[in-house]
Amino acid sequence: MRLTFAASMRDTYDGIATAAERMIKFQRQVSTGIRVAQPSDDPSATATTISEKAAHASYEQYVQAGDSAESRLSVADTLLSDIIDKLSAARTSILSAQGSETTDAQRENAAQELASLRDAVLEDLTTSFRGTYVFGGSAGTVRPYSKDVNGVVQPYAGSTREVSVDIDRNRPVTVVFNGEAIVTGNDVTDLFTAFDNAIVAARAGDADALHTASGALQRAFDRASQVQSTVGTSLNAIADHTTRLEDAGRASTARVASLEEANMAEAISGLQQAETAYNAALGAASHTTRRSLFDHLLG
Amino acid sequence: MRSLNTLVNVDVVNRSDGGVDITVGSGRALVIGDETYRLEAVSQPPTGWAGVEAGGMNITSELRGGRLVGAIEARDVNIPDYLTRLDTIAYELVNQVNTIHSGGFDQLGGTNQNFFTPLASAAGAARLIEVDPAVAADSRLIAAAGVNEAGDNTVAKTLSNLRDALVLEGNSATLIDSWSHLAFRVGRDTRAAIDGSKAQSDIVEQIDALRDAVSGVSLDEEAVQMIKFQRAYEANARFFSTVDQTLSILFSIVGR
């Protein structure tokens, strides 16, 4: 095949253009750190990156939900501990009022202590966190328990629907509780009625009534303990899932980086190679464009 | 003709007088003898997009090859396909969110409220998607509850779970899946176009080289030929010089 001057020049310039294009590609990778700047750079990596970023966003969302749930559950845990302590103290007070040799003053003291404990439990059960009641169910802003003008605690006004948030895929944890399930449960009367009955019985020295009230407080104690156990389980689950999600998030970030970001060592090496190729192409062009035979003849 | 062929494939017919006639599409004249005929870009109904007209006739569908046809194909086939897919994603998002949201209760106790302004069809959904003006004006109308209780979050959770719901591509893909498929498709088509263009350029280069091998000028070859002819000329000159010299000598001998 005859090799014409035009063909030789065209090949030379194509070689320079190809080398320059390759050099620009690596320069861009080195300067930006990004290998896939547009979908056509690597369509498969682009699609995978989108899925990975979506998954990463969901991990972050679950971690945030877990953080928020953890704060609320920590408050609930503290309140439940307090309620349990108060119920234990109330049973102790009932016992102190039950003795056959207790004086009126001692029984009055016990009654007053029970009233104080009842109010403390009421306060715990009507605590709100970030604007919603912890034991009000999904009613949210409706105070679950309140006293009437006579100081009698009214029936539960909250919702029996509990509120949960997902701390991971298909892993909900309850963060707002049904107060009635603790205060009443399967009993006929609620905890506050039991307190009131205990107060009256303490003043009257009614051992049977005190015994009945003590039983009601014990059942409330069990219910509160059961809910606290659930809270503890949820807190542990949040810790476990948060660790897992953070690990998954880091792995996802690493995968996105491996897909999207340039390997700097590789890019720098590639840039050096491309520069060498570019300079070689320029050198070849200078040789090719010399009209060797003419030069020889003219020389 | 080379520049013209870069834009669109043309047909060339050699004339007996050594000239050529050039046509495009289904024999539409561009150059006949010394007459030229213009191609015009004319806005076409109903889209208003430009079509190629020759003599008032829309010949866009007749054109083959070249950058012009590539651009038209991208405009009429590829990009509408991407837009349709994007619109489908947006339309499904609007419908799914509205279906869930309208079944929930907002902070004011209201229900049956769309989150997005409903769309009549998927056409143009990506362009038309917008939060319902009432919701945009009053965030209390966002229905997060499944029952009429302020603290309930059932609908919010259901909306959140929509992320994993298989609602597209025949209930086999999530919204994110569909979006990543679309990005892949755009990237793949672009890559294929770049690679195809490169392959075509290589073919053109090869053809140019073959043509140049026949019709082009090789400076080395011309130099060799020149040396050959120069040497022949020098040989001839020397021959005649020798003959001339011989005759001169002969004449001088005879003249004595």
Side-chain angles (χ1 to χ4, degrees), chain B residues 137-249:
Chain B
D138 186 353
S139 61
R140 291 176 304 172
L141 296 181
I142 293 173
V147 292
N148 189 12
E149 292 180 345
D152 188 63
N153 64 350
T154 316
V155 166
K157 284 171 65 180
T158 308
L159 284 171
S160 170
N161 291 335
L162 188 56
R163 178 185 52 223
D164 300 321
L166 302 174
V167 294
L168 282 164
E169 300 175 23
N171 292 332
S172 66
T174 65
L175 292 163
I176 290 292
D177 289 341
S178 239
W179 171 242
S180 69
H181 293 167
L182 174 57
F184 174 79
R185 185 178 289 268
V186 172
R188 182 200 60 190
D189 291 352
T190 309
R191 186 76 258 162
I194 291 168
D195 291 345
S197 172
K198 179 80 171 57
Q200 290 296 321
S201 295
D202 290 346
I203 291 169
V204 169
E205 272 179 29
Q206 189 62 26
I207 291 170
D208 282 348
L210 288 170
R211 186 194 59 199
D212 287 349
V214 176
S215 64
V217 175
S218 167
L219 290 179
D220 289 346
E221 190 179 83
E222 297 303 322
V224 168
Q225 292 287 359
M226 200 170 73
I227 292 165
K228 192 168 85 180
F229 290 124
Q230 192 173 359
R231 290 284 183 261
Y233 174 81
E234 286 170 2
N236 280 319
R238 181 168 291 232
F239 171 75
F240 284 111
S241 169
T242 307
V243 170
D244 184 48
Q245 229 176 349
T246 306
L247 286 173
S248 293
I249 293 168

Side-chain angles (χ1 to χ4, degrees), chain B residues 32-216:
Chain B
I32 302 292
D34 55 0
E35 293 289 328
T36 60
Y37 301 87
R38 290 171 59 82
L39 292 180
E40 290 179 298
V42 179
S43 176
Q44 305 291 326
T47 60
W49 292 348
V52 179
E53 287 193 359
M57 180 78 77
N58 186 353
I59 62 163
T60 311
S61 61
E62 297 176 12
L63 302 179
R64 288 172 288 107
R67 286 164 60 188
L68 182 60
V69 173
I72 290 171
E73 191 172 313
R75 185 197 68 182
D76 292 348
V77 179
N78 295 94
I79 293 174
D81 176 57
Y82 304 147
L83 284 175
T84 300
R85 290 171 188 277
L86 186 61
D87 284 342
T88 303
I89 295 171
Y91 185 65
E92 200 58 41
L93 174 70
V94 168
N95 281 350
Q96 292 288 336
V97 169
N98 278 348
T99 301
I100 296 167
H101 191 268
S102 61
F105 291 84
D106 60 36
Q107 280 188 41
L108 305 177
T111 187
N112 204 26
Q113 168 70 52
N114 286 316
F115 184 81
F116 291 112
T117 302
L119 298 170
S121 70
R127 181 169 48 88
L128 298 171
I129 187 171
E130 65 167 1
V131 174
D132 187 276
V135 174
D138 186 353
S139 61
R140 291 176 304 172
L141 296 181
I142 293 173
V147 292
N148 189 12
E149 292 180 345
D152 188 63
N153 64 350
T154 316
V155 166
K157 284 171 65 180
T158 308
L159 284 171
S160 170
N161 291 335
L162 188 56
R163 178 185 52 223
D164 300 321
L166 302 174
V167 294
L168 282 164
E169 300 175 23
N171 292 332
S172 66
T174 65
L175 292 163
I176 290 292
D177 289 341
S178 239
W179 171 242
S180 69
H181 293 167
L182 174 57
F184 174 79
R185 185 178 289 268
V186 172
R188 182 200 60 190
D189 291 352
T190 309
R191 186 76 258 162
I194 291 168
D195 291 345
S197 172
K198 179 80 171 57
Q200 290 296 321
S201 295
D202 290 346
I203 291 169
V204 169
E205 272 179 29
Q206 189 62 26
I207 291 170
D208 282 348
L210 288 170
R211 186 194 59 199
D212 287 349
V214 176
S215 64

Side-chain angles (χ1 to χ4, degrees), chain A residues 44-199:
Chain A
S44 180
T46 302
T48 310
T49 299
I50 288 172
S51 299
E52 285 289 353
K53 285 184 175 175
H56 191 267
S58 77
Y59 298 149
E60 287 187 336
Q61 189 187 345
Y62 283 130
V63 169
Q64 284 178 8
D67 286 346
S68 173
E70 188 176 24
S71 303
R72 183 169 280 277
L73 287 174
S74 297
V75 171
D77 191 33
T78 304
L79 291 172
L80 286 163
S81 292
D82 202 41
I83 290 168
I84 288 165
D85 290 346
K86 297 288 187 303
L87 292 175
S88 293
R91 292 192 68 219
T92 306
S93 295
I94 287 174
L95 285 174
S96 70
Q98 272 184 324
S100 57
E101 297 190 0
T102 51
T103 64
D104 288 347
Q106 285 173 325
R107 288 199 298 276
E108 180 58 26
N109 283 343
Q112 286 186 9
E113 195 174 340
L114 284 167
S116 171
L117 291 168
R118 177 198 61 195
D119 291 346
V121 169
L122 175 64
E123 194 176 326
D124 286 336
L125 286 165
T126 53
T127 298
S128 67
F129 179 75
R130 292 179 182 164
T132 55
Y133 290 98
V134 177
F135 298 104
S138 62
T141 52
V142 177
R143 189 178 178 87
Y145 290 101
S146 56
K147 283 183 176 177
D148 66 6
V149 290
N150 299 318
V152 177
V153 178
Q154 297 300 294
Y156 183 60
S159 171
T160 55
R161 285 167 65 94
E162 295 187 321
V163 178
S164 65
V165 296
D166 290 342
I167 57 161
D168 201 345
R169 192 162 291 172
N170 301 320
R171 181 59 175 94
V173 295
T174 302
V175 291
V176 178
F177 301 89
N178 171 16
E180 192 176 38
I182 300 170
V183 172
T184 307
N186 294 323
D187 285 356
V188 177
T189 56
D190 66 24
L191 173 64
F192 297 110
T193 304
F195 264 112
D196 290 342
N197 291 342
I199 291 165

Side-chain angles (χ1 to χ4, degrees), chain A residues 225-297:
Chain A
S225 297
Q226 194 175 354
V227 173
Q228 192 181 31
S229 170
T230 305
V231 169
T233 304
S234 295
L235 284 168
N236 287 337
I238 289 171
D240 291 345
H241 282 264
T242 299
T243 303
R244 189 195 76 78
L245 289 165
E246 286 174 347
D247 288 346
R250 276 191 289 274
S252 175
T253 303
R255 282 195 294 275
V256 168
S258 71
L259 290 168
E260 199 177 49
E261 294 177 10
N263 179 332
M264 288 310 275
E266 199 175 285
I268 289 167
S269 168
L271 178 60
Q272 286 170 342
Q273 286 176 4
E275 271 181 331
T276 306
Y278 180 68
N279 290 329
L282 286 177
S286 74
H287 279 290
T288 307
T289 50
R290 272 176 54 195
R291 299 170 187 181
S292 57
L293 202 51
F294 269 132
D295 286 347
H296 176 71
L297 291 171

